[in-house]
Amino acid sequence: GDHRDLHSFPTRRSSDLSAISSEVDVINKPNSSIAEIVYGIDHNGINIIINDEINFDDVNISEIDYQRVISNILRNAVTALDGKGIIEVTTYYAIRSVIVKIKNNGPKIDESIIDKIFDTGFTTKENQNKENGFGLSITKEIIERNNGNISVKSNDSFTEFKINIPKISNKLAII
């Protein structure tokens, strides 16, 4: 079975993607839950690379929460990139948790505000006319309610959000 599946994968992948978007590249699996979320947002000409190594079934979070968290950070990244750049979404297993990294090569988040971006009601000047600012406080709230955490680092080359969510623990970790 394996050999045939592997063989048919590239053609299935490219036809799926061209139907949806030539700008999204899913590196290693056709039924990625991250890809589903990406296809649901307007990514405005941004290239998005997805390397999704986890099974959503292993993540201890509801589908709606997962979707809100990922799409919120992706939308912020798309806004920050302003029509040009790359977003890379990588997921992988740690010992007791699942890691999701969302990285973009847009402008650096200034040191003076980086500690505040998760605060309720925080917004930047450019963002004042949007009712919910970055929406990152809600994102953080959802993640923490699911016993996870989120951090951000930003420099001149990239900005990266790292999300850590517990794995469902009643299974053996087969990685």
PDB file of all heavy atoms in Angstrom, residues 9 13 17 23-39 43 47-54 66 70 74 86-91 100-102:
ATOM      1  N   PHE A   9       1.202  10.623  -4.533  1.00  0.00           N
ATOM      2  CA  PHE A   9       1.136  11.839  -3.724  1.00  0.00           C
ATOM      3  C   PHE A   9       1.473  13.121  -4.484  1.00  0.00           C
ATOM      4  O   PHE A   9       0.688  14.051  -4.465  1.00  0.00           O
ATOM      5  CB  PHE A   9       2.030  11.670  -2.485  1.00  0.00           C
ATOM      6  CG  PHE A   9       2.123  12.899  -1.632  1.00  0.00           C
ATOM      7  CD1 PHE A   9       0.995  13.426  -1.023  1.00  0.00           C
ATOM      8  CD2 PHE A   9       3.337  13.543  -1.443  1.00  0.00           C
ATOM      9  CE1 PHE A   9       1.075  14.555  -0.236  1.00  0.00           C
ATOM     10  CE2 PHE A   9       3.414  14.678  -0.657  1.00  0.00           C
ATOM     11  CZ  PHE A   9       2.281  15.170  -0.060  1.00  0.00           C
ATOM     12  N   ARG A  13      -1.067  16.197  -4.894  1.00  0.00           N
ATOM     13  CA  ARG A  13      -0.755  17.447  -4.218  1.00  0.00           C
ATOM     14  C   ARG A  13      -0.811  18.624  -5.186  1.00  0.00           C
ATOM     15  O   ARG A  13      -1.462  19.603  -4.927  1.00  0.00           O
ATOM     16  CB  ARG A  13       0.636  17.379  -3.590  1.00  0.00           C
ATOM     17  CG  ARG A  13       0.938  18.617  -2.794  1.00  0.00           C
ATOM     18  CD  ARG A  13       2.307  18.596  -2.190  1.00  0.00           C
ATOM     19  NE  ARG A  13       3.301  18.861  -3.216  1.00  0.00           N
ATOM     20  CZ  ARG A  13       4.575  19.084  -2.966  1.00  0.00           C
ATOM     21  NH1 ARG A  13       5.013  19.014  -1.735  1.00  0.00           N
ATOM     22  NH2 ARG A  13       5.427  19.349  -3.915  1.00  0.00           N
ATOM     23  N   LEU A  17      -3.393  21.822  -5.051  1.00  0.00           N
ATOM     24  CA  LEU A  17      -2.896  23.158  -4.754  1.00  0.00           C
ATOM     25  C   LEU A  17      -3.218  24.144  -5.856  1.00  0.00           C
ATOM     26  O   LEU A  17      -3.559  25.277  -5.586  1.00  0.00           O
ATOM     27  CB  LEU A  17      -1.386  23.124  -4.530  1.00  0.00           C
ATOM     28  CG  LEU A  17      -0.968  22.515  -3.197  1.00  0.00           C
ATOM     29  CD1 LEU A  17       0.527  22.609  -3.042  1.00  0.00           C
ATOM     30  CD2 LEU A  17      -1.635  23.242  -2.054  1.00  0.00           C
ATOM     31  N   GLU A  23       0.110  29.712  -4.396  1.00  0.00           N
ATOM     32  CA  GLU A  23       1.026  30.377  -3.469  1.00  0.00           C
ATOM     33  C   GLU A  23       1.255  29.585  -2.194  1.00  0.00           C
ATOM     34  O   GLU A  23       2.049  29.978  -1.358  1.00  0.00           O
ATOM     35  CB  GLU A  23       0.461  31.752  -3.093  1.00  0.00           C
ATOM     36  CG  GLU A  23       0.498  32.721  -4.241  1.00  0.00           C
ATOM     37  CD  GLU A  23      -0.561  33.795  -4.117  1.00  0.00           C
ATOM     38  OE1 GLU A  23      -1.371  33.724  -3.175  1.00  0.00           O
ATOM     39  OE2 GLU A  23      -0.582  34.685  -4.960  1.00  0.00           O
ATOM     40  N   VAL A  24       0.542  28.472  -2.040  1.00  0.00           N
ATOM     41  CA  VAL A  24       0.686  27.699  -0.814  1.00  0.00           C
ATOM     42  C   VAL A  24       1.418  26.410  -1.140  1.00  0.00           C
ATOM     43  O   VAL A  24       1.057  25.703  -2.064  1.00  0.00           O
ATOM     44  CB  VAL A  24      -0.699  27.377  -0.206  1.00  0.00           C
ATOM     45  CG1 VAL A  24      -0.542  26.516   1.044  1.00  0.00           C
ATOM     46  CG2 VAL A  24      -1.449  28.656   0.132  1.00  0.00           C
ATOM     47  N   ASP A  25       2.461  26.123  -0.387  1.00  0.00           N
ATOM     48  CA  ASP A  25       3.215  24.911  -0.626  1.00  0.00           C
ATOM     49  C   ASP A  25       3.174  24.043   0.626  1.00  0.00           C
ATOM     50  O   ASP A  25       3.704  24.406   1.668  1.00  0.00           O
ATOM     51  CB  ASP A  25       4.668  25.291  -0.963  1.00  0.00           C
ATOM     52  CG  ASP A  25       5.488  24.078  -1.370  1.00  0.00           C
ATOM     53  OD1 ASP A  25       4.871  23.044  -1.718  1.00  0.00           O
ATOM     54  OD2 ASP A  25       6.714  24.157  -1.323  1.00  0.00           O
ATOM     55  N   VAL A  26       2.497  22.891   0.525  1.00  0.00           N
ATOM     56  CA  VAL A  26       2.416  21.980   1.658  1.00  0.00           C
ATOM     57  C   VAL A  26       3.501  20.940   1.472  1.00  0.00           C
ATOM     58  O   VAL A  26       3.471  20.178   0.521  1.00  0.00           O
ATOM     59  CB  VAL A  26       1.034  21.292   1.734  1.00  0.00           C
ATOM     60  CG1 VAL A  26       0.960  20.390   2.959  1.00  0.00           C
ATOM     61  CG2 VAL A  26      -0.081  22.323   1.771  1.00  0.00           C
ATOM     62  N   ILE A  27       4.479  20.944   2.366  1.00  0.00           N
ATOM     63  CA  ILE A  27       5.654  20.132   2.134  1.00  0.00           C
ATOM     64  C   ILE A  27       5.392  18.645   2.288  1.00  0.00           C
ATOM     65  O   ILE A  27       5.785  17.862   1.457  1.00  0.00           O
ATOM     66  CB  ILE A  27       6.820  20.584   3.049  1.00  0.00           C
ATOM     67  CG1 ILE A  27       7.273  21.973   2.579  1.00  0.00           C
ATOM     68  CG2 ILE A  27       7.974  19.605   3.007  1.00  0.00           C
ATOM     69  CD1 ILE A  27       8.250  22.654   3.465  1.00  0.00           C
ATOM     70  N   ASN A  28       4.742  18.216   3.354  1.00  0.00           N
ATOM     71  CA  ASN A  28       4.807  16.782   3.558  1.00  0.00           C
ATOM     72  C   ASN A  28       3.515  16.027   3.752  1.00  0.00           C
ATOM     73  O   ASN A  28       3.565  14.855   4.004  1.00  0.00           O
ATOM     74  CB  ASN A  28       5.729  16.479   4.733  1.00  0.00           C
ATOM     75  CG  ASN A  28       5.204  17.125   5.989  1.00  0.00           C
ATOM     76  OD1 ASN A  28       4.237  17.879   5.911  1.00  0.00           O
ATOM     77  ND2 ASN A  28       5.791  16.854   7.119  1.00  0.00           N
ATOM     78  N   LYS A  29       2.351  16.674   3.686  1.00  0.00           N
ATOM     79  CA  LYS A  29       1.174  15.812   3.700  1.00  0.00           C
ATOM     80  C   LYS A  29      -0.051  16.488   3.128  1.00  0.00           C
ATOM     81  O   LYS A  29      -0.265  17.677   3.313  1.00  0.00           O
ATOM     82  CB  LYS A  29       0.928  15.216   5.079  1.00  0.00           C
ATOM     83  CG  LYS A  29       0.574  16.167   6.170  1.00  0.00           C
ATOM     84  CD  LYS A  29       0.246  15.334   7.407  1.00  0.00           C
ATOM     85  CE  LYS A  29      -0.483  16.116   8.430  1.00  0.00           C
ATOM     86  NZ  LYS A  29       0.044  15.919   9.762  1.00  0.00           N
ATOM     87  N   PRO A  30      -0.843  15.712   2.432  1.00  0.00           N
ATOM     88  CA  PRO A  30      -1.959  16.286   1.679  1.00  0.00           C
ATOM     89  C   PRO A  30      -3.114  16.738   2.566  1.00  0.00           C
ATOM     90  O   PRO A  30      -3.832  17.653   2.221  1.00  0.00           O
ATOM     91  CB  PRO A  30      -2.403  15.147   0.776  1.00  0.00           C
ATOM     92  CG  PRO A  30      -1.942  13.909   1.444  1.00  0.00           C
ATOM     93  CD  PRO A  30      -0.701  14.264   2.210  1.00  0.00           C
ATOM     94  N   ASN A  31      -3.282  16.120   3.741  1.00  0.00           N
ATOM     95  CA  ASN A  31      -4.467  16.442   4.542  1.00  0.00           C
ATOM     96  C   ASN A  31      -4.083  17.199   5.799  1.00  0.00           C
ATOM     97  O   ASN A  31      -4.527  16.898   6.889  1.00  0.00           O
ATOM     98  CB  ASN A  31      -5.203  15.156   4.912  1.00  0.00           C
ATOM     99  CG  ASN A  31      -4.257  14.179   5.603  1.00  0.00           C
ATOM    100  OD1 ASN A  31      -3.034  14.364   5.565  1.00  0.00           O
ATOM    101  ND2 ASN A  31      -4.798  13.154   6.228  1.00  0.00           N
ATOM    102  N   SER A  32      -3.239  18.196   5.644  1.00  0.00           N
ATOM    103  CA  SER A  32      -2.757  18.966   6.777  1.00  0.00           C
ATOM    104  C   SER A  32      -3.851  19.862   7.342  1.00  0.00           C
ATOM    105  O   SER A  32      -4.517  20.576   6.596  1.00  0.00           O
ATOM    106  CB  SER A  32      -1.572  19.819   6.307  1.00  0.00           C
ATOM    107  OG  SER A  32      -1.446  20.964   7.098  1.00  0.00           O
ATOM    108  N   SER A  33      -4.024  19.828   8.675  1.00  0.00           N
ATOM    109  CA  SER A  33      -5.037  20.701   9.274  1.00  0.00           C
ATOM    110  C   SER A  33      -4.615  22.160   9.178  1.00  0.00           C
ATOM    111  O   SER A  33      -5.447  23.051   9.100  1.00  0.00           O
ATOM    112  CB  SER A  33      -5.297  20.302  10.732  1.00  0.00           C
ATOM    113  OG  SER A  33      -4.087  20.203  11.436  1.00  0.00           O
ATOM    114  N   ILE A  34      -3.304  22.421   9.169  1.00  0.00           N
ATOM    115  CA  ILE A  34      -2.815  23.790   8.999  1.00  0.00           C
ATOM    116  C   ILE A  34      -3.175  24.287   7.596  1.00  0.00           C
ATOM    117  O   ILE A  34      -3.632  25.423   7.420  1.00  0.00           O
ATOM    118  CB  ILE A  34      -1.278  23.864   9.196  1.00  0.00           C
ATOM    119  CG1 ILE A  34      -0.888  23.461  10.620  1.00  0.00           C
ATOM    120  CG2 ILE A  34      -0.753  25.252   8.841  1.00  0.00           C
ATOM    121  CD1 ILE A  34      -1.133  24.493  11.699  1.00  0.00           C
ATOM    122  N   ALA A  35      -2.986  23.419   6.599  1.00  0.00           N
ATOM    123  CA  ALA A  35      -3.310  23.803   5.221  1.00  0.00           C
ATOM    124  C   ALA A  35      -4.781  24.186   5.102  1.00  0.00           C
ATOM    125  O   ALA A  35      -5.124  25.185   4.475  1.00  0.00           O
ATOM    126  CB  ALA A  35      -2.967  22.665   4.257  1.00  0.00           C
ATOM    127  N   GLU A  36      -5.650  23.406   5.740  1.00  0.00           N
ATOM    128  CA  GLU A  36      -7.083  23.722   5.716  1.00  0.00           C
ATOM    129  C   GLU A  36      -7.332  25.147   6.215  1.00  0.00           C
ATOM    130  O   GLU A  36      -8.125  25.884   5.652  1.00  0.00           O
ATOM    131  CB  GLU A  36      -7.861  22.779   6.644  1.00  0.00           C
ATOM    132  CG  GLU A  36      -7.734  21.320   6.325  1.00  0.00           C
ATOM    133  CD  GLU A  36      -8.729  20.914   5.253  1.00  0.00           C
ATOM    134  OE1 GLU A  36      -9.925  21.210   5.429  1.00  0.00           O
ATOM    135  OE2 GLU A  36      -8.301  20.328   4.244  1.00  0.00           O
ATOM    136  N   ILE A  37      -6.654  25.514   7.302  1.00  0.00           N
ATOM    137  CA  ILE A  37      -6.841  26.841   7.889  1.00  0.00           C
ATOM    138  C   ILE A  37      -6.295  27.912   6.941  1.00  0.00           C
ATOM    139  O   ILE A  37      -6.927  28.937   6.710  1.00  0.00           O
ATOM    140  CB  ILE A  37      -6.147  26.931   9.273  1.00  0.00           C
ATOM    141  CG1 ILE A  37      -6.797  25.937  10.249  1.00  0.00           C
ATOM    142  CG2 ILE A  37      -6.227  28.350   9.828  1.00  0.00           C
ATOM    143  CD1 ILE A  37      -6.030  25.720  11.549  1.00  0.00           C
ATOM    144  N   VAL A  38      -5.107  27.633   6.378  1.00  0.00           N
ATOM    145  CA  VAL A  38      -4.488  28.592   5.456  1.00  0.00           C
ATOM    146  C   VAL A  38      -5.394  28.869   4.267  1.00  0.00           C
ATOM    147  O   VAL A  38      -5.573  30.017   3.850  1.00  0.00           O
ATOM    148  CB  VAL A  38      -3.111  28.069   4.979  1.00  0.00           C
ATOM    149  CG1 VAL A  38      -2.613  28.860   3.773  1.00  0.00           C
ATOM    150  CG2 VAL A  38      -2.103  28.147   6.113  1.00  0.00           C
ATOM    151  N   TYR A  39      -5.998  27.821   3.718  1.00  0.00           N
ATOM    152  CA  TYR A  39      -6.861  28.020   2.554  1.00  0.00           C
ATOM    153  C   TYR A  39      -8.076  28.866   2.889  1.00  0.00           C
ATOM    154  O   TYR A  39      -8.684  29.461   2.006  1.00  0.00           O
ATOM    155  CB  TYR A  39      -7.319  26.669   1.983  1.00  0.00           C
ATOM    156  CG  TYR A  39      -6.188  25.800   1.473  1.00  0.00           C
ATOM    157  CD1 TYR A  39      -6.232  24.418   1.610  1.00  0.00           C
ATOM    158  CD2 TYR A  39      -5.069  26.376   0.858  1.00  0.00           C
ATOM    159  CE1 TYR A  39      -5.183  23.625   1.145  1.00  0.00           C
ATOM    160  CE2 TYR A  39      -4.025  25.585   0.401  1.00  0.00           C
ATOM    161  CZ  TYR A  39      -4.089  24.208   0.544  1.00  0.00           C
ATOM    162  OH  TYR A  39      -3.064  23.435   0.096  1.00  0.00           O
ATOM    163  N   HIS A  43      -4.740  35.399   1.754  1.00  0.00           N
ATOM    164  CA  HIS A  43      -3.324  35.670   2.022  1.00  0.00           C
ATOM    165  C   HIS A  43      -2.673  36.611   1.038  1.00  0.00           C
ATOM    166  O   HIS A  43      -1.453  36.710   0.981  1.00  0.00           O
ATOM    167  CB  HIS A  43      -2.525  34.386   2.222  1.00  0.00           C
ATOM    168  CG  HIS A  43      -2.860  33.304   1.282  1.00  0.00           C
ATOM    169  ND1 HIS A  43      -2.280  33.175   0.059  1.00  0.00           N
ATOM    170  CD2 HIS A  43      -3.758  32.307   1.384  1.00  0.00           C
ATOM    171  CE1 HIS A  43      -2.796  32.133  -0.552  1.00  0.00           C
ATOM    172  NE2 HIS A  43      -3.690  31.591   0.223  1.00  0.00           N
ATOM    173  N   ASN A  47       3.445  34.206  -0.052  1.00  0.00           N
ATOM    174  CA  ASN A  47       3.737  32.776  -0.158  1.00  0.00           C
ATOM    175  C   ASN A  47       3.718  32.151   1.229  1.00  0.00           C
ATOM    176  O   ASN A  47       4.312  32.688   2.162  1.00  0.00           O
ATOM    177  CB  ASN A  47       5.117  32.555  -0.789  1.00  0.00           C
ATOM    178  CG  ASN A  47       5.086  32.910  -2.267  1.00  0.00           C
ATOM    179  OD1 ASN A  47       4.189  32.482  -2.984  1.00  0.00           O
ATOM    180  ND2 ASN A  47       6.045  33.699  -2.694  1.00  0.00           N
ATOM    181  N   ILE A  48       3.039  31.023   1.327  1.00  0.00           N
ATOM    182  CA  ILE A  48       2.953  30.343   2.619  1.00  0.00           C
ATOM    183  C   ILE A  48       3.485  28.925   2.458  1.00  0.00           C
ATOM    184  O   ILE A  48       3.032  28.175   1.607  1.00  0.00           O
ATOM    185  CB  ILE A  48       1.502  30.324   3.142  1.00  0.00           C
ATOM    186  CG1 ILE A  48       0.969  31.764   3.288  1.00  0.00           C
ATOM    187  CG2 ILE A  48       1.437  29.589   4.481  1.00  0.00           C
ATOM    188  CD1 ILE A  48      -0.432  31.880   3.822  1.00  0.00           C
ATOM    189  N   ILE A  49       4.479  28.598   3.273  1.00  0.00           N
ATOM    190  CA  ILE A  49       5.069  27.261   3.240  1.00  0.00           C
ATOM    191  C   ILE A  49       4.620  26.537   4.502  1.00  0.00           C
ATOM    192  O   ILE A  49       4.754  27.071   5.606  1.00  0.00           O
ATOM    193  CB  ILE A  49       6.607  27.357   3.209  1.00  0.00           C
ATOM    194  CG1 ILE A  49       7.062  28.118   1.969  1.00  0.00           C
ATOM    195  CG2 ILE A  49       7.230  25.964   3.260  1.00  0.00           C
ATOM    196  CD1 ILE A  49       8.493  28.595   2.044  1.00  0.00           C
ATOM    197  N   ILE A  50       4.092  25.342   4.320  1.00  0.00           N
ATOM    198  CA  ILE A  50       3.558  24.591   5.456  1.00  0.00           C
ATOM    199  C   ILE A  50       4.325  23.288   5.599  1.00  0.00           C
ATOM    200  O   ILE A  50       4.418  22.517   4.648  1.00  0.00           O
ATOM    201  CB  ILE A  50       2.062  24.271   5.242  1.00  0.00           C
ATOM    202  CG1 ILE A  50       1.267  25.574   5.117  1.00  0.00           C
ATOM    203  CG2 ILE A  50       1.533  23.410   6.383  1.00  0.00           C
ATOM    204  CD1 ILE A  50      -0.132  25.381   4.584  1.00  0.00           C
ATOM    205  N   ASN A  51       4.878  23.075   6.776  1.00  0.00           N
ATOM    206  CA  ASN A  51       5.531  21.809   7.059  1.00  0.00           C
ATOM    207  C   ASN A  51       4.887  21.255   8.329  1.00  0.00           C
ATOM    208  O   ASN A  51       5.327  21.526   9.437  1.00  0.00           O
ATOM    209  CB  ASN A  51       7.039  22.040   7.240  1.00  0.00           C
ATOM    210  CG  ASN A  51       7.802  20.730   7.234  1.00  0.00           C
ATOM    211  OD1 ASN A  51       7.218  19.651   7.180  1.00  0.00           O
ATOM    212  ND2 ASN A  51       9.108  20.829   7.325  1.00  0.00           N
ATOM    213  N   ASP A  52       3.801  20.517   8.132  1.00  0.00           N
ATOM    214  CA  ASP A  52       2.914  20.117   9.230  1.00  0.00           C
ATOM    215  C   ASP A  52       3.171  18.654   9.570  1.00  0.00           C
ATOM    216  O   ASP A  52       2.743  17.767   8.848  1.00  0.00           O
ATOM    217  CB  ASP A  52       1.465  20.329   8.763  1.00  0.00           C
ATOM    218  CG  ASP A  52       0.448  20.135   9.878  1.00  0.00           C
ATOM    219  OD1 ASP A  52       0.856  19.933  11.036  1.00  0.00           O
ATOM    220  OD2 ASP A  52      -0.761  20.171   9.579  1.00  0.00           O
ATOM    221  N   GLU A  53       3.881  18.415  10.657  1.00  0.00           N
ATOM    222  CA  GLU A  53       4.265  17.040  10.979  1.00  0.00           C
ATOM    223  C   GLU A  53       3.387  16.401  12.035  1.00  0.00           C
ATOM    224  O   GLU A  53       3.592  15.258  12.399  1.00  0.00           O
ATOM    225  CB  GLU A  53       5.725  17.008  11.457  1.00  0.00           C
ATOM    226  CG  GLU A  53       6.674  17.400  10.349  1.00  0.00           C
ATOM    227  CD  GLU A  53       8.130  17.173  10.718  1.00  0.00           C
ATOM    228  OE1 GLU A  53       8.390  16.781  11.876  1.00  0.00           O
ATOM    229  OE2 GLU A  53       8.969  17.371   9.841  1.00  0.00           O
ATOM    230  N   ILE A  54       2.426  17.146  12.568  1.00  0.00           N
ATOM    231  CA  ILE A  54       1.628  16.563  13.639  1.00  0.00           C
ATOM    232  C   ILE A  54       0.276  16.103  13.112  1.00  0.00           C
ATOM    233  O   ILE A  54      -0.195  16.558  12.077  1.00  0.00           O
ATOM    234  CB  ILE A  54       1.411  17.574  14.787  1.00  0.00           C
ATOM    235  CG1 ILE A  54       0.606  18.781  14.292  1.00  0.00           C
ATOM    236  CG2 ILE A  54       2.735  17.982  15.392  1.00  0.00           C
ATOM    237  CD1 ILE A  54       0.196  19.730  15.403  1.00  0.00           C
ATOM    238  N   TYR A  66      -8.189  25.773  17.881  1.00  0.00           N
ATOM    239  CA  TYR A  66      -6.966  25.632  17.078  1.00  0.00           C
ATOM    240  C   TYR A  66      -7.052  26.533  15.855  1.00  0.00           C
ATOM    241  O   TYR A  66      -6.139  27.272  15.524  1.00  0.00           O
ATOM    242  CB  TYR A  66      -6.825  24.170  16.670  1.00  0.00           C
ATOM    243  CG  TYR A  66      -5.491  23.766  16.065  1.00  0.00           C
ATOM    244  CD1 TYR A  66      -4.321  23.817  16.817  1.00  0.00           C
ATOM    245  CD2 TYR A  66      -5.416  23.289  14.762  1.00  0.00           C
ATOM    246  CE1 TYR A  66      -3.108  23.407  16.274  1.00  0.00           C
ATOM    247  CE2 TYR A  66      -4.209  22.875  14.214  1.00  0.00           C
ATOM    248  CZ  TYR A  66      -3.055  22.934  14.981  1.00  0.00           C
ATOM    249  OH  TYR A  66      -1.867  22.528  14.449  1.00  0.00           O
ATOM    250  N   ILE A  70      -4.540  29.761  15.044  1.00  0.00           N
ATOM    251  CA  ILE A  70      -3.659  29.744  13.869  1.00  0.00           C
ATOM    252  C   ILE A  70      -4.073  30.834  12.880  1.00  0.00           C
ATOM    253  O   ILE A  70      -3.233  31.578  12.374  1.00  0.00           O
ATOM    254  CB  ILE A  70      -3.679  28.366  13.172  1.00  0.00           C
ATOM    255  CG1 ILE A  70      -3.350  27.223  14.137  1.00  0.00           C
ATOM    256  CG2 ILE A  70      -2.736  28.361  11.964  1.00  0.00           C
ATOM    257  CD1 ILE A  70      -1.995  27.226  14.750  1.00  0.00           C
ATOM    258  N   LEU A  74      -1.874  34.011  11.575  1.00  0.00           N
ATOM    259  CA  LEU A  74      -1.630  34.104  10.128  1.00  0.00           C
ATOM    260  C   LEU A  74      -2.135  35.429   9.562  1.00  0.00           C
ATOM    261  O   LEU A  74      -1.449  36.072   8.775  1.00  0.00           O
ATOM    262  CB  LEU A  74      -2.307  32.944   9.395  1.00  0.00           C
ATOM    263  CG  LEU A  74      -1.625  31.584   9.505  1.00  0.00           C
ATOM    264  CD1 LEU A  74      -2.520  30.505   8.919  1.00  0.00           C
ATOM    265  CD2 LEU A  74      -0.274  31.598   8.792  1.00  0.00           C
ATOM    266  N   ILE A  86       7.068  35.976   2.865  1.00  0.00           N
ATOM    267  CA  ILE A  86       6.874  34.540   3.055  1.00  0.00           C
ATOM    268  C   ILE A  86       6.449  34.282   4.493  1.00  0.00           C
ATOM    269  O   ILE A  86       6.992  34.869   5.431  1.00  0.00           O
ATOM    270  CB  ILE A  86       8.193  33.769   2.786  1.00  0.00           C
ATOM    271  CG1 ILE A  86       8.623  33.958   1.331  1.00  0.00           C
ATOM    272  CG2 ILE A  86       8.027  32.272   3.088  1.00  0.00           C
ATOM    273  CD1 ILE A  86      10.030  33.453   1.051  1.00  0.00           C
ATOM    274  N   ILE A  87       5.489  33.383   4.649  1.00  0.00           N
ATOM    275  CA  ILE A  87       5.110  32.890   5.969  1.00  0.00           C
ATOM    276  C   ILE A  87       5.426  31.396   5.979  1.00  0.00           C
ATOM    277  O   ILE A  87       5.095  30.689   5.025  1.00  0.00           O
ATOM    278  CB  ILE A  87       3.606  33.093   6.248  1.00  0.00           C
ATOM    279  CG1 ILE A  87       3.257  34.584   6.238  1.00  0.00           C
ATOM    280  CG2 ILE A  87       3.216  32.453   7.584  1.00  0.00           C
ATOM    281  CD1 ILE A  87       1.767  34.876   6.330  1.00  0.00           C
ATOM    282  N   GLU A  88       6.066  30.957   7.034  1.00  0.00           N
ATOM    283  CA  GLU A  88       6.402  29.547   7.152  1.00  0.00           C
ATOM    284  C   GLU A  88       5.704  29.009   8.390  1.00  0.00           C
ATOM    285  O   GLU A  88       5.871  29.563   9.485  1.00  0.00           O
ATOM    286  CB  GLU A  88       7.905  29.438   7.372  1.00  0.00           C
ATOM    287  CG  GLU A  88       8.611  28.421   6.546  1.00  0.00           C
ATOM    288  CD  GLU A  88      10.108  28.521   6.794  1.00  0.00           C
ATOM    289  OE1 GLU A  88      10.719  29.531   6.387  1.00  0.00           O
ATOM    290  OE2 GLU A  88      10.635  27.600   7.434  1.00  0.00           O
ATOM    291  N   VAL A  89       4.917  27.952   8.222  1.00  0.00           N
ATOM    292  CA  VAL A  89       4.242  27.342   9.368  1.00  0.00           C
ATOM    293  C   VAL A  89       4.825  25.946   9.546  1.00  0.00           C
ATOM    294  O   VAL A  89       4.782  25.133   8.630  1.00  0.00           O
ATOM    295  CB  VAL A  89       2.719  27.227   9.140  1.00  0.00           C
ATOM    296  CG1 VAL A  89       2.033  26.742  10.418  1.00  0.00           C
ATOM    297  CG2 VAL A  89       2.123  28.560   8.694  1.00  0.00           C
ATOM    298  N   THR A  90       5.387  25.696  10.714  1.00  0.00           N
ATOM    299  CA  THR A  90       6.006  24.404  10.988  1.00  0.00           C
ATOM    300  C   THR A  90       5.391  23.829  12.248  1.00  0.00           C
ATOM    301  O   THR A  90       5.213  24.549  13.234  1.00  0.00           O
ATOM    302  CB  THR A  90       7.522  24.591  11.247  1.00  0.00           C
ATOM    303  OG1 THR A  90       8.064  25.400  10.200  1.00  0.00           O
ATOM    304  CG2 THR A  90       8.249  23.256  11.275  1.00  0.00           C
ATOM    305  N   THR A  91       5.034  22.554  12.208  1.00  0.00           N
ATOM    306  CA  THR A  91       4.535  21.906  13.424  1.00  0.00           C
ATOM    307  C   THR A  91       5.362  20.659  13.672  1.00  0.00           C
ATOM    308  O   THR A  91       5.798  19.990  12.734  1.00  0.00           O
ATOM    309  CB  THR A  91       3.057  21.490  13.290  1.00  0.00           C
ATOM    310  OG1 THR A  91       2.962  20.433  12.322  1.00  0.00           O
ATOM    311  CG2 THR A  91       2.176  22.647  12.842  1.00  0.00           C
ATOM    312  N   VAL A 100       3.825  24.613  17.395  1.00  0.00           N
ATOM    313  CA  VAL A 100       3.480  25.253  16.122  1.00  0.00           C
ATOM    314  C   VAL A 100       4.289  26.539  16.038  1.00  0.00           C
ATOM    315  O   VAL A 100       4.208  27.381  16.936  1.00  0.00           O
ATOM    316  CB  VAL A 100       1.975  25.607  16.034  1.00  0.00           C
ATOM    317  CG1 VAL A 100       1.649  26.243  14.686  1.00  0.00           C
ATOM    318  CG2 VAL A 100       1.100  24.382  16.271  1.00  0.00           C
ATOM    319  N   LYS A 101       5.079  26.670  14.973  1.00  0.00           N
ATOM    320  CA  LYS A 101       5.839  27.908  14.774  1.00  0.00           C
ATOM    321  C   LYS A 101       5.324  28.601  13.530  1.00  0.00           C
ATOM    322  O   LYS A 101       5.186  27.971  12.478  1.00  0.00           O
ATOM    323  CB  LYS A 101       7.328  27.605  14.595  1.00  0.00           C
ATOM    324  CG  LYS A 101       8.015  27.210  15.878  1.00  0.00           C
ATOM    325  CD  LYS A 101       9.508  27.021  15.646  1.00  0.00           C
ATOM    326  CE  LYS A 101      10.252  26.902  16.968  1.00  0.00           C
ATOM    327  NZ  LYS A 101      11.711  26.756  16.756  1.00  0.00           N
ATOM    328  N   ILE A 102       5.028  29.883  13.666  1.00  0.00           N
ATOM    329  CA  ILE A 102       4.569  30.669  12.522  1.00  0.00           C
ATOM    330  C   ILE A 102       5.540  31.821  12.364  1.00  0.00           C
ATOM    331  O   ILE A 102       5.649  32.683  13.233  1.00  0.00           O
ATOM    332  CB  ILE A 102       3.130  31.166  12.730  1.00  0.00           C
ATOM    333  CG1 ILE A 102       2.190  29.968  12.916  1.00  0.00           C
ATOM    334  CG2 ILE A 102       2.685  32.030  11.537  1.00  0.00           C
ATOM    335  CD1 ILE A 102       0.760  30.322  13.220  1.00  0.00           C
TER     336      ILE A 102
END
